[in-house]
Amino acid sequence: MHASASAVNPGALRSRLAQAGLRATRQRLVILESLLTLPGHPTAEQVHRHVVGHSPSISLGTVYKALDSFVAAGLTRRVASAEGASRRYDADCTEHHHLFCTDTQEIIDYCDPQLDELIRQFFAARELEGFQPRSFSLHVVGTRGMK
Amino acid sequence: MHASASAVNPGALRSRLAQAGLRATRQRLVILESLLTLPGHPTAEQVHRHVVGHSPSISLGTVYKALDSFVAAGLTRRVASAEGASRRYDADCTEHHHLFCTDTQEIIDYCDPQLDELIRQFFAARELEGFQPRSFSLHVVGTRGMK
DNA sequence: CCTTTACTGATAATCATTCCTACCTAGTGA
DNA sequence: TCACTAGGTAGGAATGATTATCAGTAAAGG
């Protein structure tokens, strides 16, 4: 009973979908599991490639539709990216930030409660005229490698 | 002699391109001017629509290539966006942030040197393992309207 | 078990972006 | 000023990503 196993066991996936008001179809279970399993921020294409290992009959269109429904239900979010043509998805909906490496085109998750707090306090103090902030996401562009 | 006029006068545009090492063609001058003139963060399509007003013969492909060359030369940057299919461009290369309104789907520029400083100092102190940050861009999601 | 209705698979259609090729022109130096 | 040439342009075809359509299928609830 590892924590890592529990996130992707069938029961947990089912209840996630149920909570979101989505039918727990075989396809969605496999797609959601792939999204949680795959490292980084996969494209629909990458999810599909992974998914056809389990269930070869799942079509790319179904992957797109499933991902859309996950996003609409708040299970998943789309990751903003300026570089690269295709959209990327992120199963992790907790607040976190992204490091984008211009050398490798990699997007690395960056989680830092202190940073969150810093930003939240900044905006609480600042009182933007006519804008009510709800969530923050910092995009850091840079390169991997020693300082 | 407004400051706003000087940014889009032919001479200024020419020297911008020259500094970037790009030839100052008629097409690029018009495209760069449109990019500076258009509000928000236009797509290539939107720039093209604006540009054909002046010079109807400029093709969409030329707009794409000009924008690519501007980005490569650092005159322009691509704006990260999770929503919407097409890429957006921003003529303003100074560091700034974006407020995204979930009601109106609007992207509002937000410039704040104090915030920049806060983030820069945070990362200077933090010393990310194996990542060298170069620039920061904060994406704030929220809604317009009174607090 | 039956019904309802949302979901799926296959394919076509659409939209954004890039590629290709022949022509053109800005910048350079004689 | 003139001609040279590397780089830029127009236009259309090609590619890639995403969405729409629709007949068939299978979850969820009674």
Side-chain angles (χ1 to χ4, degrees), chain B residues 23 25-28 57-59 62 65:
Chain B
R23 282 194 188 169
T25 63
R26 185 177 52 81
Q27 292 86 340
R28 285 184 177 165
S57 72
I58 293 180
S59 76
T62 296
K65 275 178 283 192

PDB file of all heavy atoms in Angstrom, chain B residues 23 25-28 57-59 62 65, chain D residues 5-13 18-19:
ATOM      1  N   ARG B  23      16.724  42.972 -41.998  1.00  0.00           N
ATOM      2  CA  ARG B  23      16.492  43.930 -43.078  1.00  0.00           C
ATOM      3  C   ARG B  23      15.167  44.648 -42.894  1.00  0.00           C
ATOM      4  O   ARG B  23      14.168  44.024 -42.582  1.00  0.00           O
ATOM      5  CB  ARG B  23      16.447  43.203 -44.426  1.00  0.00           C
ATOM      6  CG  ARG B  23      17.784  42.839 -44.943  1.00  0.00           C
ATOM      7  CD  ARG B  23      17.637  42.455 -46.382  1.00  0.00           C
ATOM      8  NE  ARG B  23      18.880  41.917 -46.887  1.00  0.00           N
ATOM      9  CZ  ARG B  23      18.998  41.310 -48.048  1.00  0.00           C
ATOM     10  NH1 ARG B  23      17.934  41.157 -48.816  1.00  0.00           N
ATOM     11  NH2 ARG B  23      20.157  40.850 -48.448  1.00  0.00           N
ATOM     12  N   THR B  25      12.424  45.684 -44.473  1.00  0.00           N
ATOM     13  CA  THR B  25      11.579  45.629 -45.667  1.00  0.00           C
ATOM     14  C   THR B  25      10.256  46.332 -45.376  1.00  0.00           C
ATOM     15  O   THR B  25       9.869  46.505 -44.223  1.00  0.00           O
ATOM     16  CB  THR B  25      11.283  44.184 -46.072  1.00  0.00           C
ATOM     17  OG1 THR B  25      10.541  43.567 -45.028  1.00  0.00           O
ATOM     18  CG2 THR B  25      12.564  43.405 -46.290  1.00  0.00           C
ATOM     19  N   ARG B  26       9.580  46.717 -46.459  1.00  0.00           N
ATOM     20  CA  ARG B  26       8.286  47.351 -46.343  1.00  0.00           C
ATOM     21  C   ARG B  26       7.343  46.499 -45.489  1.00  0.00           C
ATOM     22  O   ARG B  26       6.676  46.997 -44.575  1.00  0.00           O
ATOM     23  CB  ARG B  26       7.708  47.504 -47.766  1.00  0.00           C
ATOM     24  CG  ARG B  26       6.415  48.250 -47.915  1.00  0.00           C
ATOM     25  CD  ARG B  26       6.025  48.369 -49.399  1.00  0.00           C
ATOM     26  NE  ARG B  26       6.028  47.076 -50.089  1.00  0.00           N
ATOM     27  CZ  ARG B  26       5.019  46.193 -50.016  1.00  0.00           C
ATOM     28  NH1 ARG B  26       3.942  46.457 -49.309  1.00  0.00           N
ATOM     29  NH2 ARG B  26       5.104  45.047 -50.664  1.00  0.00           N
ATOM     30  N   GLN B  27       7.342  45.188 -45.753  1.00  0.00           N
ATOM     31  CA  GLN B  27       6.444  44.281 -45.040  1.00  0.00           C
ATOM     32  C   GLN B  27       6.730  44.270 -43.540  1.00  0.00           C
ATOM     33  O   GLN B  27       5.822  44.363 -42.711  1.00  0.00           O
ATOM     34  CB  GLN B  27       6.585  42.867 -45.599  1.00  0.00           C
ATOM     35  CG  GLN B  27       6.068  42.689 -47.011  1.00  0.00           C
ATOM     36  CD  GLN B  27       7.106  43.029 -48.070  1.00  0.00           C
ATOM     37  OE1 GLN B  27       8.082  43.726 -47.812  1.00  0.00           O
ATOM     38  NE2 GLN B  27       6.893  42.541 -49.287  1.00  0.00           N
ATOM     39  N   ARG B  28       7.994  44.148 -43.202  1.00  0.00           N
ATOM     40  CA  ARG B  28       8.345  44.082 -41.782  1.00  0.00           C
ATOM     41  C   ARG B  28       8.015  45.373 -41.061  1.00  0.00           C
ATOM     42  O   ARG B  28       7.610  45.351 -39.895  1.00  0.00           O
ATOM     43  CB  ARG B  28       9.829  43.762 -41.626  1.00  0.00           C
ATOM     44  CG  ARG B  28      10.117  42.315 -41.916  1.00  0.00           C
ATOM     45  CD  ARG B  28      11.560  41.993 -41.658  1.00  0.00           C
ATOM     46  NE  ARG B  28      11.806  40.589 -41.861  1.00  0.00           N
ATOM     47  CZ  ARG B  28      13.010  40.072 -41.983  1.00  0.00           C
ATOM     48  NH1 ARG B  28      14.081  40.853 -41.942  1.00  0.00           N
ATOM     49  NH2 ARG B  28      13.150  38.775 -42.148  1.00  0.00           N
ATOM     50  N   SER B  57      -1.245  43.235 -50.300  1.00  0.00           N
ATOM     51  CA  SER B  57      -0.560  42.105 -50.924  1.00  0.00           C
ATOM     52  C   SER B  57       0.244  41.254 -49.934  1.00  0.00           C
ATOM     53  O   SER B  57       0.743  40.198 -50.279  1.00  0.00           O
ATOM     54  CB  SER B  57       0.387  42.614 -52.021  1.00  0.00           C
ATOM     55  OG  SER B  57       1.489  43.253 -51.435  1.00  0.00           O
ATOM     56  N   ILE B  58       0.374  41.722 -48.699  1.00  0.00           N
ATOM     57  CA  ILE B  58       1.177  40.959 -47.731  1.00  0.00           C
ATOM     58  C   ILE B  58       0.464  39.664 -47.368  1.00  0.00           C
ATOM     59  O   ILE B  58      -0.695  39.664 -46.972  1.00  0.00           O
ATOM     60  CB  ILE B  58       1.447  41.805 -46.469  1.00  0.00           C
ATOM     61  CG1 ILE B  58       2.351  42.989 -46.833  1.00  0.00           C
ATOM     62  CG2 ILE B  58       2.091  40.963 -45.383  1.00  0.00           C
ATOM     63  CD1 ILE B  58       2.679  43.893 -45.674  1.00  0.00           C
ATOM     64  N   SER B  59       1.170  38.558 -47.501  1.00  0.00           N
ATOM     65  CA  SER B  59       0.536  37.262 -47.270  1.00  0.00           C
ATOM     66  C   SER B  59       0.659  36.833 -45.807  1.00  0.00           C
ATOM     67  O   SER B  59       1.520  37.307 -45.070  1.00  0.00           O
ATOM     68  CB  SER B  59       1.176  36.204 -48.160  1.00  0.00           C
ATOM     69  OG  SER B  59       2.429  35.830 -47.655  1.00  0.00           O
ATOM     70  N   THR B  62       3.988  35.472 -44.826  1.00  0.00           N
ATOM     71  CA  THR B  62       4.988  36.514 -44.560  1.00  0.00           C
ATOM     72  C   THR B  62       4.842  37.033 -43.133  1.00  0.00           C
ATOM     73  O   THR B  62       5.846  37.270 -42.453  1.00  0.00           O
ATOM     74  CB  THR B  62       4.825  37.664 -45.567  1.00  0.00           C
ATOM     75  OG1 THR B  62       5.100  37.153 -46.870  1.00  0.00           O
ATOM     76  CG2 THR B  62       5.777  38.795 -45.268  1.00  0.00           C
ATOM     77  N   LYS B  65       6.407  34.509 -40.861  1.00  0.00           N
ATOM     78  CA  LYS B  65       7.865  34.517 -40.928  1.00  0.00           C
ATOM     79  C   LYS B  65       8.443  35.776 -40.292  1.00  0.00           C
ATOM     80  O   LYS B  65       9.459  35.725 -39.607  1.00  0.00           O
ATOM     81  CB  LYS B  65       8.331  34.343 -42.373  1.00  0.00           C
ATOM     82  CG  LYS B  65       8.396  32.863 -42.739  1.00  0.00           C
ATOM     83  CD  LYS B  65       8.813  32.639 -44.171  1.00  0.00           C
ATOM     84  CE  LYS B  65       7.620  32.923 -45.079  1.00  0.00           C
ATOM     85  NZ  LYS B  65       7.862  32.460 -46.462  1.00  0.00           N
TER      86      LYS B  65
ATOM     87  P    DT D   5      27.289  38.144 -57.627  1.00  0.00           P
ATOM     88  OP1  DT D   5      28.637  37.615 -57.346  1.00  0.00           O
ATOM     89  OP2  DT D   5      26.470  37.599 -58.737  1.00  0.00           O
ATOM     90  O5'  DT D   5      26.438  38.061 -56.290  1.00  0.00           O
ATOM     91  C5'  DT D   5      26.952  38.647 -55.091  1.00  0.00           C
ATOM     92  C4'  DT D   5      25.952  38.458 -53.974  1.00  0.00           C
ATOM     93  O4'  DT D   5      24.906  39.461 -54.079  1.00  0.00           O
ATOM     94  C3'  DT D   5      25.221  37.103 -54.001  1.00  0.00           C
ATOM     95  O3'  DT D   5      24.987  36.716 -52.663  1.00  0.00           O
ATOM     96  C2'  DT D   5      23.903  37.437 -54.671  1.00  0.00           C
ATOM     97  C1'  DT D   5      23.649  38.814 -54.055  1.00  0.00           C
ATOM     98  N1   DT D   5      22.671  39.686 -54.760  1.00  0.00           N
ATOM     99  C2   DT D   5      22.048  40.665 -54.019  1.00  0.00           C
ATOM    100  O2   DT D   5      22.265  40.848 -52.850  1.00  0.00           O
ATOM    101  N3   DT D   5      21.161  41.427 -54.731  1.00  0.00           N
ATOM    102  C4   DT D   5      20.835  41.305 -56.078  1.00  0.00           C
ATOM    103  O4   DT D   5      20.027  42.049 -56.603  1.00  0.00           O
ATOM    104  C5   DT D   5      21.532  40.249 -56.789  1.00  0.00           C
ATOM    105  C7   DT D   5      21.251  40.030 -58.235  1.00  0.00           C
ATOM    106  C6   DT D   5      22.411  39.489 -56.101  1.00  0.00           C
ATOM    107  P    DA D   6      25.397  35.289 -52.103  1.00  0.00           P
ATOM    108  OP1  DA D   6      26.867  35.159 -52.184  1.00  0.00           O
ATOM    109  OP2  DA D   6      24.527  34.295 -52.749  1.00  0.00           O
ATOM    110  O5'  DA D   6      24.993  35.422 -50.579  1.00  0.00           O
ATOM    111  C5'  DA D   6      25.347  36.613 -49.868  1.00  0.00           C
ATOM    112  C4'  DA D   6      24.164  37.083 -49.037  1.00  0.00           C
ATOM    113  O4'  DA D   6      23.191  37.748 -49.883  1.00  0.00           O
ATOM    114  C3'  DA D   6      23.396  35.961 -48.334  1.00  0.00           C
ATOM    115  O3'  DA D   6      23.050  36.410 -47.034  1.00  0.00           O
ATOM    116  C2'  DA D   6      22.160  35.741 -49.207  1.00  0.00           C
ATOM    117  C1'  DA D   6      21.922  37.140 -49.769  1.00  0.00           C
ATOM    118  N9   DA D   6      21.322  37.145 -51.099  1.00  0.00           N
ATOM    119  C8   DA D   6      21.494  36.225 -52.103  1.00  0.00           C
ATOM    120  N7   DA D   6      20.824  36.508 -53.199  1.00  0.00           N
ATOM    121  C5   DA D   6      20.170  37.675 -52.892  1.00  0.00           C
ATOM    122  C6   DA D   6      19.296  38.496 -53.631  1.00  0.00           C
ATOM    123  N6   DA D   6      18.923  38.237 -54.880  1.00  0.00           N
ATOM    124  N1   DA D   6      18.814  39.606 -53.041  1.00  0.00           N
ATOM    125  C2   DA D   6      19.193  39.888 -51.769  1.00  0.00           C
ATOM    126  N3   DA D   6      20.017  39.190 -50.968  1.00  0.00           N
ATOM    127  C4   DA D   6      20.466  38.091 -51.599  1.00  0.00           C
ATOM    128  P    DG D   7      22.351  35.449 -45.997  1.00  0.00           P
ATOM    129  OP1  DG D   7      23.108  35.580 -44.736  1.00  0.00           O
ATOM    130  OP2  DG D   7      22.086  34.131 -46.629  1.00  0.00           O
ATOM    131  O5'  DG D   7      20.959  36.178 -45.798  1.00  0.00           O
ATOM    132  C5'  DG D   7      20.895  37.601 -45.764  1.00  0.00           C
ATOM    133  C4'  DG D   7      19.496  38.020 -46.136  1.00  0.00           C
ATOM    134  O4'  DG D   7      19.270  37.814 -47.552  1.00  0.00           O
ATOM    135  C3'  DG D   7      18.395  37.221 -45.411  1.00  0.00           C
ATOM    136  O3'  DG D   7      17.486  38.152 -44.888  1.00  0.00           O
ATOM    137  C2'  DG D   7      17.795  36.358 -46.502  1.00  0.00           C
ATOM    138  C1'  DG D   7      18.001  37.241 -47.730  1.00  0.00           C
ATOM    139  N9   DG D   7      17.994  36.572 -49.017  1.00  0.00           N
ATOM    140  C8   DG D   7      18.632  35.419 -49.379  1.00  0.00           C
ATOM    141  N7   DG D   7      18.428  35.089 -50.632  1.00  0.00           N
ATOM    142  C5   DG D   7      17.601  36.092 -51.120  1.00  0.00           C
ATOM    143  C6   DG D   7      17.043  36.284 -52.415  1.00  0.00           C
ATOM    144  O6   DG D   7      17.174  35.585 -53.420  1.00  0.00           O
ATOM    145  N1   DG D   7      16.258  37.429 -52.478  1.00  0.00           N
ATOM    146  C2   DG D   7      16.048  38.291 -51.428  1.00  0.00           C
ATOM    147  N2   DG D   7      15.267  39.343 -51.655  1.00  0.00           N
ATOM    148  N3   DG D   7      16.568  38.129 -50.212  1.00  0.00           N
ATOM    149  C4   DG D   7      17.323  37.014 -50.138  1.00  0.00           C
ATOM    150  P    DG D   8      16.154  37.741 -44.200  1.00  0.00           P
ATOM    151  OP1  DG D   8      15.959  38.643 -43.066  1.00  0.00           O
ATOM    152  OP2  DG D   8      16.108  36.269 -44.044  1.00  0.00           O
ATOM    153  O5'  DG D   8      15.110  38.161 -45.319  1.00  0.00           O
ATOM    154  C5'  DG D   8      15.088  39.526 -45.733  1.00  0.00           C
ATOM    155  C4'  DG D   8      13.866  39.770 -46.591  1.00  0.00           C
ATOM    156  O4'  DG D   8      14.034  39.093 -47.847  1.00  0.00           O
ATOM    157  C3'  DG D   8      12.556  39.254 -46.004  1.00  0.00           C
ATOM    158  O3'  DG D   8      11.543  40.219 -46.269  1.00  0.00           O
ATOM    159  C2'  DG D   8      12.313  37.951 -46.730  1.00  0.00           C
ATOM    160  C1'  DG D   8      12.946  38.234 -48.084  1.00  0.00           C
ATOM    161  N9   DG D   8      13.472  37.068 -48.781  1.00  0.00           N
ATOM    162  C8   DG D   8      14.341  36.118 -48.303  1.00  0.00           C
ATOM    163  N7   DG D   8      14.636  35.200 -49.184  1.00  0.00           N
ATOM    164  C5   DG D   8      13.920  35.566 -50.314  1.00  0.00           C
ATOM    165  C6   DG D   8      13.833  34.959 -51.593  1.00  0.00           C
ATOM    166  O6   DG D   8      14.398  33.942 -51.994  1.00  0.00           O
ATOM    167  N1   DG D   8      12.990  35.661 -52.449  1.00  0.00           N
ATOM    168  C2   DG D   8      12.323  36.807 -52.112  1.00  0.00           C
ATOM    169  N2   DG D   8      11.548  37.345 -53.054  1.00  0.00           N
ATOM    170  N3   DG D   8      12.390  37.385 -50.920  1.00  0.00           N
ATOM    171  C4   DG D   8      13.210  36.716 -50.076  1.00  0.00           C
ATOM    172  P    DT D   9      10.054  39.928 -45.856  1.00  0.00           P
ATOM    173  OP1  DT D   9       9.510  41.235 -45.473  1.00  0.00           O
ATOM    174  OP2  DT D   9       9.991  38.764 -44.962  1.00  0.00           O
ATOM    175  O5'  DT D   9       9.397  39.512 -47.240  1.00  0.00           O
ATOM    176  C5'  DT D   9       9.294  40.468 -48.286  1.00  0.00           C
ATOM    177  C4'  DT D   9       8.454  39.899 -49.408  1.00  0.00           C
ATOM    178  O4'  DT D   9       9.189  38.818 -50.020  1.00  0.00           O
ATOM    179  C3'  DT D   9       7.111  39.320 -48.951  1.00  0.00           C
ATOM    180  O3'  DT D   9       6.059  39.921 -49.691  1.00  0.00           O
ATOM    181  C2'  DT D   9       7.221  37.832 -49.220  1.00  0.00           C
ATOM    182  C1'  DT D   9       8.306  37.747 -50.289  1.00  0.00           C
ATOM    183  N1   DT D   9       9.116  36.509 -50.246  1.00  0.00           N
ATOM    184  C2   DT D   9       9.217  35.752 -51.380  1.00  0.00           C
ATOM    185  O2   DT D   9       8.681  36.041 -52.429  1.00  0.00           O
ATOM    186  N3   DT D   9       9.967  34.618 -51.238  1.00  0.00           N
ATOM    187  C4   DT D   9      10.623  34.183 -50.101  1.00  0.00           C
ATOM    188  O4   DT D   9      11.272  33.142 -50.111  1.00  0.00           O
ATOM    189  C5   DT D   9      10.484  35.030 -48.943  1.00  0.00           C
ATOM    190  C7   DT D   9      11.139  34.663 -47.658  1.00  0.00           C
ATOM    191  C6   DT D   9       9.734  36.149 -49.063  1.00  0.00           C
ATOM    192  P    DA D  10       4.571  39.638 -49.370  1.00  0.00           P
ATOM    193  OP1  DA D  10       3.827  40.904 -49.506  1.00  0.00           O
ATOM    194  OP2  DA D  10       4.503  38.868 -48.123  1.00  0.00           O
ATOM    195  O5'  DA D  10       4.139  38.688 -50.573  1.00  0.00           O
ATOM    196  C5'  DA D  10       4.337  39.115 -51.912  1.00  0.00           C
ATOM    197  C4'  DA D  10       3.713  38.110 -52.862  1.00  0.00           C
ATOM    198  O4'  DA D  10       4.550  36.928 -52.894  1.00  0.00           O
ATOM    199  C3'  DA D  10       2.320  37.639 -52.469  1.00  0.00           C
ATOM    200  O3'  DA D  10       1.539  37.529 -53.661  1.00  0.00           O
ATOM    201  C2'  DA D  10       2.556  36.292 -51.801  1.00  0.00           C
ATOM    202  C1'  DA D  10       3.837  35.796 -52.463  1.00  0.00           C
ATOM    203  N9   DA D  10       4.745  35.067 -51.558  1.00  0.00           N
ATOM    204  C8   DA D  10       4.998  35.354 -50.247  1.00  0.00           C
ATOM    205  N7   DA D  10       5.894  34.566 -49.693  1.00  0.00           N
ATOM    206  C5   DA D  10       6.254  33.701 -50.716  1.00  0.00           C
ATOM    207  C6   DA D  10       7.165  32.623 -50.779  1.00  0.00           C
ATOM    208  N6   DA D  10       7.907  32.238 -49.729  1.00  0.00           N
ATOM    209  N1   DA D  10       7.290  31.975 -51.944  1.00  0.00           N
ATOM    210  C2   DA D  10       6.551  32.373 -52.986  1.00  0.00           C
ATOM    211  N3   DA D  10       5.662  33.374 -53.054  1.00  0.00           N
ATOM    212  C4   DA D  10       5.560  34.000 -51.882  1.00  0.00           C
ATOM    213  P    DG D  11      -0.017  37.311 -53.570  1.00  0.00           P
ATOM    214  OP1  DG D  11      -0.619  38.005 -54.725  1.00  0.00           O
ATOM    215  OP2  DG D  11      -0.464  37.598 -52.197  1.00  0.00           O
ATOM    216  O5'  DG D  11      -0.157  35.750 -53.818  1.00  0.00           O
ATOM    217  C5'  DG D  11       0.476  35.144 -54.950  1.00  0.00           C
ATOM    218  C4'  DG D  11       0.420  33.646 -54.769  1.00  0.00           C
ATOM    219  O4'  DG D  11       1.496  33.220 -53.897  1.00  0.00           O
ATOM    220  C3'  DG D  11      -0.879  33.160 -54.119  1.00  0.00           C
ATOM    221  O3'  DG D  11      -1.506  32.261 -55.020  1.00  0.00           O
ATOM    222  C2'  DG D  11      -0.445  32.495 -52.823  1.00  0.00           C
ATOM    223  C1'  DG D  11       1.026  32.177 -53.080  1.00  0.00           C
ATOM    224  N9   DG D  11       1.850  32.130 -51.892  1.00  0.00           N
ATOM    225  C8   DG D  11       1.722  32.885 -50.751  1.00  0.00           C
ATOM    226  N7   DG D  11       2.627  32.608 -49.849  1.00  0.00           N
ATOM    227  C5   DG D  11       3.406  31.614 -50.427  1.00  0.00           C
ATOM    228  C6   DG D  11       4.541  30.914 -49.926  1.00  0.00           C
ATOM    229  O6   DG D  11       5.104  31.043 -48.843  1.00  0.00           O
ATOM    230  N1   DG D  11       5.031  29.977 -50.842  1.00  0.00           N
ATOM    231  C2   DG D  11       4.492  29.747 -52.079  1.00  0.00           C
ATOM    232  N2   DG D  11       5.085  28.824 -52.826  1.00  0.00           N
ATOM    233  N3   DG D  11       3.424  30.402 -52.563  1.00  0.00           N
ATOM    234  C4   DG D  11       2.941  31.312 -51.684  1.00  0.00           C
ATOM    235  P    DG D  12      -2.900  31.526 -54.718  1.00  0.00           P
ATOM    236  OP1  DG D  12      -3.810  31.744 -55.849  1.00  0.00           O
ATOM    237  OP2  DG D  12      -3.303  31.864 -53.343  1.00  0.00           O
ATOM    238  O5'  DG D  12      -2.436  30.001 -54.736  1.00  0.00           O
ATOM    239  C5'  DG D  12      -1.307  29.612 -55.514  1.00  0.00           C
ATOM    240  C4'  DG D  12      -0.766  28.313 -54.954  1.00  0.00           C
ATOM    241  O4'  DG D  12       0.137  28.597 -53.852  1.00  0.00           O
ATOM    242  C3'  DG D  12      -1.870  27.419 -54.373  1.00  0.00           C
ATOM    243  O3'  DG D  12      -1.553  26.061 -54.652  1.00  0.00           O
ATOM    244  C2'  DG D  12      -1.773  27.697 -52.878  1.00  0.00           C
ATOM    245  C1'  DG D  12      -0.268  27.834 -52.730  1.00  0.00           C
ATOM    246  N9   DG D  12       0.147  28.502 -51.508  1.00  0.00           N
ATOM    247  C8   DG D  12      -0.454  29.560 -50.882  1.00  0.00           C
ATOM    248  N7   DG D  12       0.154  29.919 -49.782  1.00  0.00           N
ATOM    249  C5   DG D  12       1.216  29.042 -49.686  1.00  0.00           C
ATOM    250  C6   DG D  12       2.228  28.934 -48.704  1.00  0.00           C
ATOM    251  O6   DG D  12       2.398  29.616 -47.700  1.00  0.00           O
ATOM    252  N1   DG D  12       3.118  27.885 -48.980  1.00  0.00           N
ATOM    253  C2   DG D  12       3.026  27.066 -50.065  1.00  0.00           C
ATOM    254  N2   DG D  12       3.961  26.118 -50.171  1.00  0.00           N
ATOM    255  N3   DG D  12       2.092  27.153 -50.988  1.00  0.00           N
ATOM    256  C4   DG D  12       1.224  28.157 -50.735  1.00  0.00           C
ATOM    257  P    DA D  13      -2.650  24.894 -54.402  1.00  0.00           P
ATOM    258  OP1  DA D  13      -3.480  24.804 -55.614  1.00  0.00           O
ATOM    259  OP2  DA D  13      -3.287  25.112 -53.091  1.00  0.00           O
ATOM    260  O5'  DA D  13      -1.729  23.590 -54.293  1.00  0.00           O
ATOM    261  C5'  DA D  13      -0.356  23.675 -54.632  1.00  0.00           C
ATOM    262  C4'  DA D  13       0.465  22.938 -53.590  1.00  0.00           C
ATOM    263  O4'  DA D  13       0.745  23.818 -52.461  1.00  0.00           O
ATOM    264  C3'  DA D  13      -0.231  21.705 -53.001  1.00  0.00           C
ATOM    265  O3'  DA D  13       0.733  20.664 -52.909  1.00  0.00           O
ATOM    266  C2'  DA D  13      -0.710  22.190 -51.626  1.00  0.00           C
ATOM    267  C1'  DA D  13       0.390  23.179 -51.246  1.00  0.00           C
ATOM    268  N9   DA D  13      -0.018  24.231 -50.304  1.00  0.00           N
ATOM    269  C8   DA D  13      -1.120  25.044 -50.379  1.00  0.00           C
ATOM    270  N7   DA D  13      -1.204  25.911 -49.391  1.00  0.00           N
ATOM    271  C5   DA D  13      -0.086  25.641 -48.617  1.00  0.00           C
ATOM    272  C6   DA D  13       0.404  26.216 -47.424  1.00  0.00           C
ATOM    273  N6   DA D  13      -0.208  27.221 -46.784  1.00  0.00           N
ATOM    274  N1   DA D  13       1.541  25.723 -46.910  1.00  0.00           N
ATOM    275  C2   DA D  13       2.153  24.721 -47.558  1.00  0.00           C
ATOM    276  N3   DA D  13       1.804  24.095 -48.689  1.00  0.00           N
ATOM    277  C4   DA D  13       0.654  24.619 -49.168  1.00  0.00           C
ATOM    278  P    DT D  18      -3.271  19.830 -30.063  1.00  0.00           P
ATOM    279  OP1  DT D  18      -3.066  20.814 -29.002  1.00  0.00           O
ATOM    280  OP2  DT D  18      -2.993  18.402 -29.815  1.00  0.00           O
ATOM    281  O5'  DT D  18      -4.770  19.984 -30.568  1.00  0.00           O
ATOM    282  C5'  DT D  18      -5.208  21.285 -30.947  1.00  0.00           C
ATOM    283  C4'  DT D  18      -6.594  21.214 -31.552  1.00  0.00           C
ATOM    284  O4'  DT D  18      -6.578  20.420 -32.749  1.00  0.00           O
ATOM    285  C3'  DT D  18      -7.660  20.589 -30.653  1.00  0.00           C
ATOM    286  O3'  DT D  18      -8.590  21.628 -30.345  1.00  0.00           O
ATOM    287  C2'  DT D  18      -8.260  19.458 -31.481  1.00  0.00           C
ATOM    288  C1'  DT D  18      -7.845  19.835 -32.897  1.00  0.00           C
ATOM    289  N1   DT D  18      -7.693  18.730 -33.871  1.00  0.00           N
ATOM    290  C2   DT D  18      -8.495  18.729 -34.989  1.00  0.00           C
ATOM    291  O2   DT D  18      -9.335  19.592 -35.209  1.00  0.00           O
ATOM    292  N3   DT D  18      -8.302  17.683 -35.854  1.00  0.00           N
ATOM    293  C4   DT D  18      -7.386  16.649 -35.703  1.00  0.00           C
ATOM    294  O4   DT D  18      -7.302  15.762 -36.552  1.00  0.00           O
ATOM    295  C5   DT D  18      -6.567  16.708 -34.511  1.00  0.00           C
ATOM    296  C7   DT D  18      -5.545  15.645 -34.257  1.00  0.00           C
ATOM    297  C6   DT D  18      -6.758  17.730 -33.665  1.00  0.00           C
ATOM    298  P    DT D  19      -9.918  21.375 -29.528  1.00  0.00           P
ATOM    299  OP1  DT D  19     -10.269  22.657 -28.894  1.00  0.00           O
ATOM    300  OP2  DT D  19      -9.774  20.141 -28.742  1.00  0.00           O
ATOM    301  O5'  DT D  19     -10.985  21.115 -30.685  1.00  0.00           O
ATOM    302  C5'  DT D  19     -11.198  22.110 -31.666  1.00  0.00           C
ATOM    303  C4'  DT D  19     -12.315  21.688 -32.587  1.00  0.00           C
ATOM    304  O4'  DT D  19     -11.893  20.584 -33.412  1.00  0.00           O
ATOM    305  C3'  DT D  19     -13.595  21.225 -31.893  1.00  0.00           C
ATOM    306  O3'  DT D  19     -14.658  21.913 -32.538  1.00  0.00           O
ATOM    307  C2'  DT D  19     -13.613  19.718 -32.127  1.00  0.00           C
ATOM    308  C1'  DT D  19     -12.899  19.611 -33.460  1.00  0.00           C
ATOM    309  N1   DT D  19     -12.199  18.342 -33.764  1.00  0.00           N
ATOM    310  C2   DT D  19     -12.434  17.734 -34.985  1.00  0.00           C
ATOM    311  O2   DT D  19     -13.202  18.178 -35.800  1.00  0.00           O
ATOM    312  N3   DT D  19     -11.713  16.581 -35.195  1.00  0.00           N
ATOM    313  C4   DT D  19     -10.808  15.999 -34.349  1.00  0.00           C
ATOM    314  O4   DT D  19     -10.228  14.964 -34.673  1.00  0.00           O
ATOM    315  C5   DT D  19     -10.607  16.678 -33.098  1.00  0.00           C
ATOM    316  C7   DT D  19      -9.647  16.125 -32.106  1.00  0.00           C
ATOM    317  C6   DT D  19     -11.306  17.806 -32.863  1.00  0.00           C
TER     318       DT D  19
END
